[in-house]
Amino acid sequence: MDNLRRGIGRVVDDIRHGRHIEAYAFFLLGLALVGLGLSNQVGTKGLAQFTVGALALLVFRTAVPPARPPATPDEVLRRREDLGPLRKLLDGARDLRVYGPSAINVLAGADDLRRLILERGGKVRIVLLDPSPRAVADAATQLDDNLDLGAALQSSLRALGRLEGIEGFACRRLAFNPGFSLLVVDGDSVDGTVVVEFHGFADGTINERMHVALDRRSSPHWYEYWLRRFDALWDAALPGGPTPSPPSPPPSPSSDDDPRTGAS
């Protein structure tokens, strides 16, 4: 009895939400025709036509791919290592826009930005956190426990020195950290990519942060939303790249030797 009740409930729910309507319609029509056939009100020809129609429907249903189930959070929300090397993402790119408190994982590949984008007539716009003591201290309270934000920021500023003056390059500084990083590749193209990195609170390492990779085709609304967020950051940032403090070691990724797409 419980199985029957669950079965009826499933049928009612399917009909309420418009699922498998044609199958239920054929089932009811078949029952009606069988009843009419038993009472000799429908001939063999009518039953044969119904059978052929039902078979045609079954063949059609097998040719239609099943609806894809909704994506799980783990399919949408990525780890940094899932995104792959930055160099691969930049291959063939014409426009790069980046915001990160230090963007060290991007600027560790400053020579790639110059060679792969700028020297080919492309554009690179980067927004960093302003290196003022107040801005750095506030952001460092939120970010990874193992990250020396001030040192990473100074390394990034030295890397920017290798790009300053190249046509197509521009940099600005933001007085506060908004709690996310952005990396936009060919944002105005139909094949563009937007990577959003959400800053947690006192993460153990930078690799613990959550990422979402968006494209215009599969998520036009959120793609445009985050594209506009970069424009808003750019407009709010102070023009010109800040001057780094005197020398220290060359830039390196904050967690491994292979720069990843996270802006950091």
Side-chain angles (χ1 to χ4, degrees), residues 80 104-105 144 146-147 152 206 252-256 264:
R80 173 165 289 202
I104 186 64
N105 285 281
D144 321 323
N146 70 340
L147 175 68
I206 200 170
S252 61
S254 59
S255 55
D256 55 33
S264 64

Side-chain angles (χ1 to χ4, degrees), residues 128-207:
L128 300 179
L129 185 70
D130 189 90
S132 68
R134 174 67 180 274
V136 171
D138 288 346
T141 300
Q142 175 188 6
L143 298 176
D144 321 323
D145 289 341
N146 70 340
L147 175 68
D148 186 338
L149 179 59
L153 186 53
Q154 291 301 321
S155 292
S156 293
L157 297 176
R158 284 185 290 277
L160 288 177
R162 303 203 296 273
L163 302 176
E164 285 182 339
I166 300 177
E167 185 176 357
F169 174 76
C171 178
R172 292 188 177 183
R173 60 192 192 274
L174 194 65
F176 59 92
N177 179 39
F180 59 85
S181 297
L182 280 175
L183 187 144
V184 181
V185 180
D186 291 334
D188 297 328
S189 166
V190 293
D191 297 318
T193 299
V194 175
V195 178
V196 187
E197 176 182 84
F198 300 100
H199 300 169
F201 187 83
D203 291 330
T205 70
I206 200 170
N207 287 328

Side-chain angles (χ1 to χ4, degrees), residues 40 47 69 82 89 96 109-110 112 118 121 124 128 160 164 173 180-181 192 195 214 216 222 227 241 246 263-264:
N40 295 320
L47 291 174
D82 296 333
L89 193 62
L96 177 68
D112 288 333
L118 294 171
V124 174
L128 300 179
L160 288 177
E164 285 182 339
R173 60 192 192 274
F180 59 85
S181 297
V195 178
L214 303 169
R216 193 185 296 275
W222 293 116
L227 206 59
S264 64

Side-chain angles (χ1 to χ4, degrees), residues 3-257:
N3 289 338
L4 178 61
R5 188 180 297 110
R6 283 195 295 269
I8 294 173
R10 184 169 62 251
V11 170
V12 171
D13 188 65
D14 283 346
I15 294 173
R16 182 183 297 123
H17 293 92
R19 296 189 296 261
H20 313 306
I21 296 300
E22 68 281 1
Y24 293 127
F26 263 88
F27 175 74
L28 293 175
L29 181 58
L31 287 180
L33 288 174
V34 168
L36 292 173
L38 291 174
S39 62
N40 295 320
Q41 297 185 43
V42 174
T44 304
K45 182 178 179 180
L47 291 174
Q49 290 173 339
F50 171 78
T51 302
V52 171
L55 289 173
L57 175 64
L58 290 174
V59 171
F60 173 75
R61 292 287 295 175
T62 60
V64 177
R68 184 180 177 184
T72 65
D74 283 346
E75 291 176 303
V76 176
L77 305 174
R78 310 286 187 87
R79 299 174 185 270
R80 173 165 289 202
E81 58 265 27
D82 296 333
L83 300 173
L86 176 63
R87 187 176 304 171
K88 181 178 179 181
L89 193 62
L90 296 184
D91 189 23
R94 300 284 299 172
D95 176 41
L96 177 68
R97 310 171 204 178
V98 176
Y99 166 72
S102 70
I104 186 64
N105 285 281
V106 174
L107 289 171
D111 291 336
D112 288 333
L113 304 186
R114 174 181 50 77
R115 180 172 49 83
L116 296 176
I117 301 178
L118 294 171
E119 290 183 354
R120 296 179 180 180
K123 296 181 179 180
V124 174
R125 286 191 287 168
I126 295 179
V127 181
L128 300 179
L129 185 70
D130 189 90
S132 68
R134 174 67 180 274
V136 171
D138 288 346
T141 300
Q142 175 188 6
L143 298 176
D144 321 323
D145 289 341
N146 70 340
L147 175 68
D148 186 338
L149 179 59
L153 186 53
Q154 291 301 321
S155 292
S156 293
L157 297 176
R158 284 185 290 277
L160 288 177
R162 303 203 296 273
L163 302 176
E164 285 182 339
I166 300 177
E167 185 176 357
F169 174 76
C171 178
R172 292 188 177 183
R173 60 192 192 274
L174 194 65
F176 59 92
N177 179 39
F180 59 85
S181 297
L182 280 175
L183 187 144
V184 181
V185 180
D186 291 334
D188 297 328
S189 166
V190 293
D191 297 318
T193 299
V194 175
V195 178
V196 187
E197 176 182 84
F198 300 100
H199 300 169
F201 187 83
D203 291 330
T205 70
I206 200 170
N207 287 328
E208 294 180 5
R209 296 180 188 169
M210 178 190 298
H211 291 70
V212 176
L214 303 169
D215 63 76
R216 193 185 296 275
R217 289 188 178 91
S218 63
S219 184
H221 173 79
W222 293 116
Y223 183 91
E224 291 290 343
Y225 173 86
W226 286 106
L227 206 59
R228 293 195 302 271
R229 298 292 69 74
F230 180 85
D231 292 339
L233 284 173
W234 185 260
D235 291 342
L238 302 171
T243 304
S245 303
S248 69
S252 61
S254 59
S255 55
D256 55 33
D257 292 330

